[in-house]
Every structure is written in C-alpha cells, then in structure tokens.
Amino acid sequence: MSYAKDKLNSSLEITEAVKKHGFCIIPNFIASKKLNKLNKEFDTIIKRNYSTGFYEHGCREYMDVIAVSEDNLKQSPFTAQIDLMSTPLIQKITLNFFGVDDFFIQHIFNVKSTETPAHSNELPYSLHFDKIHMLKFFFFLSDIDEDCGPTWVVPQQQHKSLIKRKEWREKGNPVQEINNIIHYHKDEVIPLTGAAGSLAILDTDTPHKAGSLGQDKVRKIIRVSASSPSYSSKG
Ligand SMILES: [Fe+2]
C-alpha cells in the first residue's frame, strides 16, 4: 500500500490522513525552482555562512544540524526558507490536528546527514514515541530512499502511545521519565521515502525511529516541529 498522497491539497484532507495513519507523505510539495533556491540556502547554512540567530545543535561527525528560531529566521537573508515557513499550510494542519490555537513552532532545523557509523540500537535508532507530543514536518531537499536515512514508522499505532502517556500522567509521573521505547516486528516498520521536494508529516506518537545512511549517501532535510502545550498536558 502506498501512503504517498499527491492529490491531497487541503489542510483538512492532509490532517485526516495524518490522524488515520500517523503520518502523511506529499510528493512534489516544493516546486523545482523553489527547491533549487532552498538547496542553495541550505548549503550556505551548513557551511556556517549564516547570520546571528543560527546555531549548531547536536552536530556529530556524520550529521550537521543547524537550528534557528522562527523569529530569527525572519531576520535572515534566506528568503526561500522564510517563504517555506510562512506557508499557511503548516499552521492550518497544526491547528486542525491539535484542535487548539496555542500550538507553537519551536525551532527550524537544517539537517545534513552522511554515512551512519555502525548500526546503533539506541535512540533515535530504535522504535519509540516522542515524550512530548508533536507534529514534525520533514521537507526533503534531496531524494530519500531506504538507504538514505529515512524515518521509519509503524502505521496506525499512534493511539497506543497516547494511552500509555495518559496512564503515566494519571499516576502523577513526570513525562520526561516515561519509557518511550516500543517493540514491533521489523515487517511492520515502513520508511518515509520520497523524491526531493516531498513533504513528510509525522505524528510523533506514531512509533518511529531514525534510519541509517549507506556509503556515499547524503540526506538533506529541513525539519520543523510543532507542539501544543494544552494538548500535551491533556494527552
Ligand atoms: Fe523521535
């Protein structure tokens, strides 16, 4: 079954797909001209040729992560990224999804990954749900196939995480201490793959894990997380 939905145009349709499956992939979300400009800006940012407000976030040998807040991005010369973040769709989907208007976008991450060292069974390379419930938007700036570090997910299992978190909270336990590691058979896990220009949206209650990159593979994405304080406290 294909989960790619290039016919979904309205924020409501996309939100329904995310609610049903736990994620949604929209091919051709970014037009090719815009994609070229985004890639140029991305390469500049990864080379650290950025203005104030950008900062390194957990970089390691095989991964550059350059973050910026939405407000600081607006002061930057990176107009294609500003345009991308200004598309009303992100706000509309987030509003539809959480059903409240106090959601917020925390940071924007420019992430470039190369060959992953020996496979790890630790987070984020093992299946888990995020401790804080979020919607994550992954804008693909490069083609992402199975060997190119896609996020892997187990469809339609997000409700179990919601129940687990709710039970945990009702016992008065702090969310940061919840055991968020989960186990599924490998046949149940599918990759969020797509060509450059695709958008993948993930409900982080969906069991998910980071993917490894093979030799000579490169993954370039812009990632945005949106969360709702009120939803998290209820959820
Ligand atoms: Fe995660």
Side-chain angles (χ1 to χ4, degrees), residues 124 128-130 136 204 208:
H128 65 283
F129 60 88
D130 287 1
K136 284 188 178 171
T204 63
H208 63 278

Side-chain angles (χ1 to χ4, degrees), residues 16-88:
E16 286 311 307
V18 175
K19 281 188 175 174
K20 183 175 178 189
H21 301 298
F23 65 94
C24 182
I25 303 169
I26 308 165
N28 305 308
F29 182 79
I30 306 167
S32 61
K33 204 172 164 187
K34 175 64 70 70
L35 187 62
N36 286 340
K37 195 166 179 207
L38 278 168
N39 260 304
K40 278 183 191 155
E41 291 185 359
F42 180 93
D43 292 342
T44 304
I45 292 166
I46 293 296
K47 283 180 196 157
R48 283 30 174 196
N49 290 329
Y50 45 69
S51 49
T52 50
F54 287 77
Y55 62 97
E56 296 186 17
H57 178 89
C59 294
R60 56 209 92 163
E61 199 181 322
Y62 56 95
M63 193 185 292
D64 287 307
V65 186
I66 306 297
V68 61
S69 71
E70 196 182 24
D71 283 344
N72 281 330
L73 176 67
K74 282 177 187 156
Q75 330 276 332
S76 83
F78 303 116
T79 54
Q81 254 188 52
I82 295 169
D83 287 352
L84 192 66
M85 291 308 126
S86 306
T87 52

